[in-house]
Amino acid sequence: MLDNCPITAIDAHAHVFSRRLAMAGERRYTPGYDAALVDYLGQLHANGLSHGVLVQPSFLGTDNSYLLAALQQAPDRLRGVVVVERDIPRDALHAMARSGVVGVRLNLVGRALPDFAEPGWKEFFEHIVELGWHVELHREVDDLPQLVRQLLPFGMKLVIDHFGRPDARLGVGQRGFSELLELGPGGRLWLKVSGIYRLAGSPAQNLEFARQAMPLLQQSFGLQRLVWGSDWPHTQHEASIGYAAVIEQRQALDWSAQVEQALLIDTPRRLFGFHHA
């Protein structure tokens, strides 16, 4: 087991998987390579980070066994975010919590939007609140505000993936992103500063969007509800992006020491429940 190291920085979003695993029937992508835990931990070490959050990738569906096995290899250094069926038994969720799972992901990209008024959702989200977990939302920005408004009354923490997946070509004034900023001050919403290369524009447009978005996000969410993630191994962008490149993108945002301390240590430590200082 690989544990007991002080927190130097936390990567709030990464994936591990093997191409030999059974893939979900409905998937947008099939990896042609492995993203092993030992390789991920090596990337953390090489880039000055110590801890990470493993997120279940969409192409593995609800079989979280590979992620859960990874968490057991370094329980102090890793936390997990799973994808589960709504009717999963409560004891199964509690077992995952004991393994280091701290949230569930609703990956809604390319899917029909759920009807959260259905009775089954209320019971499911009650379990999430009871565990103190968060719900991570992955969807393009135009649909996020309405999803957030539907989910906030259930009472759990909500975490938005990858800046909310805006289109960088439309700028920070685009409607969905502006509405997301309006929802930020409510106190139940977090956002991952991650996946700059997923923002639909050219590399220069994407980076400029991130630069312009950061002060707006700090004003709306506050540093206490923003976290940074590498999105390793950068699925669908592996050919052009590596861990060093996302570090360079982060550095190009010219964060102050205060911002770095908040997004890389203080906020993710609290949100994901890391205990070692």
Side-chain angles (χ1 to χ4, degrees), residues 1 13 27 35 40 42 66 81 95 122 125 135 145 155 159 186 196 200 246:
M1 297 219 300
H13 194 101
R27 61 184 185 276
Y40 175 58
Y66 193 83
V81 178
K122 184 174 186 293
F125 290 138
V135 171
V159 179
I196 289 175
V246 296

Side-chain angles (χ1 to χ4, degrees), residues 62-178:
T62 58
D63 180 0
N64 299 280
S65 54
Y66 193 83
L67 183 152
L68 294 170
L71 295 181
Q72 292 172 4
Q73 297 300 306
D76 287 342
R77 295 179 61 191
L78 299 172
R79 294 291 181 267
V81 178
V82 293
V83 174
V84 297
E85 298 290 351
R86 189 178 66 183
D87 59 356
I88 184 172
R90 182 179 297 197
D91 59 353
L93 292 174
H94 281 272
M96 288 179 176
R98 290 191 293 272
S99 296
V101 172
V102 293
V104 295
R105 190 186 204 199
L106 296 182
N107 191 336
L108 304 175
V109 172
R111 308 179 77 90
L113 292 179
D115 178 5
F116 293 121
E118 291 175 2
W121 285 111
K122 184 174 186 293
E123 183 176 359
F124 176 69
F125 290 138
E126 284 175 352
H127 293 167
I128 300 306
V129 172
E130 177 185 302
L131 287 163
W133 287 7
H134 67 268
V135 171
E136 181 179 304
L137 283 173
H138 188 208
R139 179 76 176 194
E140 290 83 7
V141 78
D142 282 351
D143 294 319
L144 278 176
Q146 62 162 310
L147 290 169
V148 169
R149 291 188 192 100
Q150 291 175 44
L151 289 169
L152 283 173
F154 289 104
M156 64 267 173
K157 297 170 284 192
L158 301 179
V159 179
I160 304 296
D161 265 357
H162 306 325
F163 285 91
R165 293 296 297 268
D167 185 334
R169 296 167 297 185
L170 302 178
V172 293
Q174 61 192 276
R175 182 182 57 82
F177 192 71
S178 295

Side-chain angles (χ1 to χ4, degrees), residues 5 8-9 11 37-52 77 243 247:
C5 71
T8 58
D11 177 357
L37 178 63
V38 65
D39 296 326
Y40 175 58
L41 294 176
Q43 292 287 354
L44 291 182
H45 179 73
N47 290 282
L49 294 97
S50 55
H51 293 62
R77 295 179 61 191
Y243 211 108
I247 297 286

Side-chain angles (χ1 to χ4, degrees), residues 8-20:
T8 58
I10 298 167
D11 177 357
H13 194 101
H15 308 286
V16 292
F17 51 82
S18 165
R19 78 193 100 174
R20 291 176 292 280

